[in-house]
Amino acid sequence: MTDADPSTILQGLRGSIDNIDAALIFLLAERFRCTKQVGVLKAKHGMPASDPTREEQQIARLMRLAEDADLDPAFAEKWFNFVVAEVIRHHRTAAAEPQDD
């Protein structure tokens, strides 16, 4: 076993963190592209911006996934609630805009 320089180890770990952060940003962007389409569909058909039943199901699913991944389920729920609040804002904006038929 070799004694690696802590600065080198730190640099490597930070590089991994930076790559993960970049992947998360691109995944979130893709998620919002999909939810934007959902918002437009809901707006065209007069559907409500939020779906509390779906949100409850998603929270339960994500909390189970978080447990499986050894991530704090409460954190997963907070993250989801944060993202959904932004999605609902987008859906309300879409509903307020004129819809093409």
Side-chain angles (χ1 to χ4, degrees):
M1 186 168 157
T2 62
D3 290 326
D5 174 40
S7 295
T8 302
I9 295 170
L10 180 62
Q11 184 178 6
L13 290 169
R14 285 180 173 166
S16 293
I17 291 167
D18 291 350
N19 289 338
I20 293 165
D21 287 346
L24 288 170
I25 292 299
F26 280 94
L27 286 170
L28 280 170
E30 182 62 23
R31 187 185 196 288
F32 279 108
R33 279 189 282 279
C34 291
T35 59
K36 182 177 181 181
Q37 291 176 14
V38 169
V40 169
L41 181 69
K42 285 181 171 184
K44 281 185 177 181
H45 297 281
M47 300 166 77
S50 67
D51 183 345
T53 301
R54 165 82 172 152
E55 292 164 25
E56 287 176 20
Q57 292 168 345
Q58 285 296 90
I59 288 170
R61 185 180 73 84
L62 291 174
M63 290 180 80
R64 285 191 305 274
L65 288 171
E67 288 174 4
D68 291 346
D70 199 25
L71 180 69
D72 181 5
F75 173 77
E77 182 177 10
K78 288 177 192 174
W79 171 82
F80 180 75
N81 287 332
F82 177 76
V83 170
V84 167
E86 185 67 7
V87 168
I88 291 170
R89 187 181 72 77
H90 292 176
H91 289 184
R92 288 184 177 143
T93 299
E97 295 174 352
Q99 299 301 313
D100 296 328
D101 288 330

